[in-house]
Amino acid sequence: MVKIFVLSEYSNNPPAVLGTGRIKIARGPLYELAAVQALVQDEEKLKAWTDKCRNDLRKWFDDDLQRVADLIGSLKKSDYIDSEWCENGKGAVAACDAYSIRRFERAPATGQALQMDYFLKFAVSKTGTLVLMVSCHP
């Protein structure tokens, strides 16, 4: 049996085993949005926690964590979707909040206005000092 390590501040009722699919957490949001937004004002407090997230940050944001921090900073409570347990593929789990946000941006090549919908999923670390990004993509 593999021991599961919970790396998030929220740690009530973690899954007994990994790889059982998405396990939703009924109570949510789990983290005070204003506290998360205050943490990411320092982009060094933002960490891509999964391989998929690292790949998405490279693909969609050119590894620019400040852009991701800006997205989190512009979230509103009404952007909240749900909460669930997520794993990082290395035996650790985190209880995460998921948000969706719509923004209007300019295409770099044409300057044309575009509507972009972003999906963000994150947890606050057990120490309360990092925001662990699980997912961040359009």
Side-chain angles (χ1 to χ4, degrees):
M1 183 165 166
V2 176
K3 183 163 174 72
I4 296 172
F5 295 96
V6 178
L7 297 182
S8 58
E9 195 172 61
Y10 179 91
S11 60
N12 295 343
N13 302 316
V17 293
L18 297 175
T20 57
R22 294 191 171 150
I23 301 171
K24 299 292 182 183
I25 302 170
R27 183 190 144 247
L30 306 174
Y31 307 103
E32 182 63 42
L33 183 57
V36 172
Q37 290 170 325
L39 265 176
V40 300
Q41 285 181 1
D42 175 359
E43 73 180 59
E44 291 188 18
K45 303 284 184 170
L46 189 58
K47 177 181 171 116
W49 191 60
T50 64
D51 289 338
K52 182 185 179 318
C53 185
R54 281 187 284 280
N55 291 337
D56 284 345
L57 291 179
R58 208 170 295 116
K59 178 179 180 178
W60 299 107
F61 299 92
D62 294 323
D63 284 325
D64 185 353
L65 290 178
Q66 186 56 55
R67 286 183 57 204
V68 178
D70 291 344
L71 278 174
I72 293 173
S74 62
L75 290 173
K76 300 181 297 293
K77 288 181 182 181
S78 60
D79 297 325
Y80 172 77
I81 300 171
D82 62 10
S83 301
E84 66 184 43
W85 287 101
C86 298
E87 61 179 293
N88 69 350
K90 299 173 184 167
V93 295
C96 299
D97 286 339
Y99 287 82
S100 178
I101 186 172
R102 177 170 288 162
R103 291 179 50 150
F104 292 92
E105 300 178 352
R106 296 241 174 247
T110 64
Q112 180 181 3
L114 299 171
Q115 176 180 298
M116 296 292 293
D117 293 316
Y118 290 99
F119 177 78
L120 298 98
K121 191 184 313 181
F122 53 80
V124 173
S125 67
K126 189 175 289 265
T127 61
T129 59
L130 290 173
V131 174
L132 306 172
M133 289 301 303
V134 172
S135 190
C136 184
H137 56 82

